[in-house]
Amino acid sequence: MDSVVARKRLEEIRDELDRSISVLEASGPRRDQAPEYPQDPADAGANLTETQRSAAMLTVARQQRSEVLGALNRIDHGSYGICADCGAKVPEGRLEARPEAARCVSCQGKRDRLRR
Ligand SMILES: [Zn+2]
């Protein structure tokens, strides 16, 4: 992928993540502090699940944002599209699907297995 195109896409993804993150950050605590209507236990349970879901989404969004920032940084240093682990070229198709990808499929697979 052309690095100008990649940068544009990454910046769009970053802006979108910034919006999602601020929405998620704003929505969680406020609702908990000031319930607008009396809650029965079933509602409380549902809200807890929703809060947990927001927290999980926030974690994922923040992680993806740091990956996107890393990719923008690699564009600046001319190492975008090169696998961070083995130095091979990351296939076009993978970058199309995940412009923030820092590794080729096999190296990312190894990392994911290590992390679990
Ligand atoms: Zn690799």
Side-chain angles (χ1 to χ4, degrees), residues 12-23:
E12 280 167 11
I13 295 170
R14 183 199 55 198
D15 291 348
E16 211 169 289
L17 285 167
D18 280 345
R19 277 195 295 275
S20 311
I21 288 168
S22 51
V23 168

Side-chain angles (χ1 to χ4, degrees), residues 18-73:
D18 280 345
R19 277 195 295 275
S20 311
I21 288 168
S22 51
V23 168
L24 286 166
E25 280 175 344
S27 68
R30 201 169 9 182
R31 185 177 11 213
D32 288 346
Q33 281 163 14
E36 285 164 20
Y37 49 87
Q39 297 179 331
D40 66 31
D43 278 354
N47 285 346
L48 182 67
T49 306
E50 198 180 319
T51 304
Q52 286 170 334
R53 202 184 304 144
S54 304
M57 282 167 63
L58 197 52
T59 304
V60 171
R62 282 184 177 137
Q63 195 190 332
Q64 201 189 355
R65 187 176 185 276
S66 79
E67 286 173 17
V68 169
L69 293 181
L72 284 167
N73 198 37

Side-chain angles (χ1 to χ4, degrees), residues 66-83:
S66 79
E67 286 173 17
V68 169
L69 293 181
L72 284 167
N73 198 37
R74 288 194 300 282
I75 291 176
D76 289 339
H77 292 87
S79 59
Y80 181 72
I82 309 288
C83 174

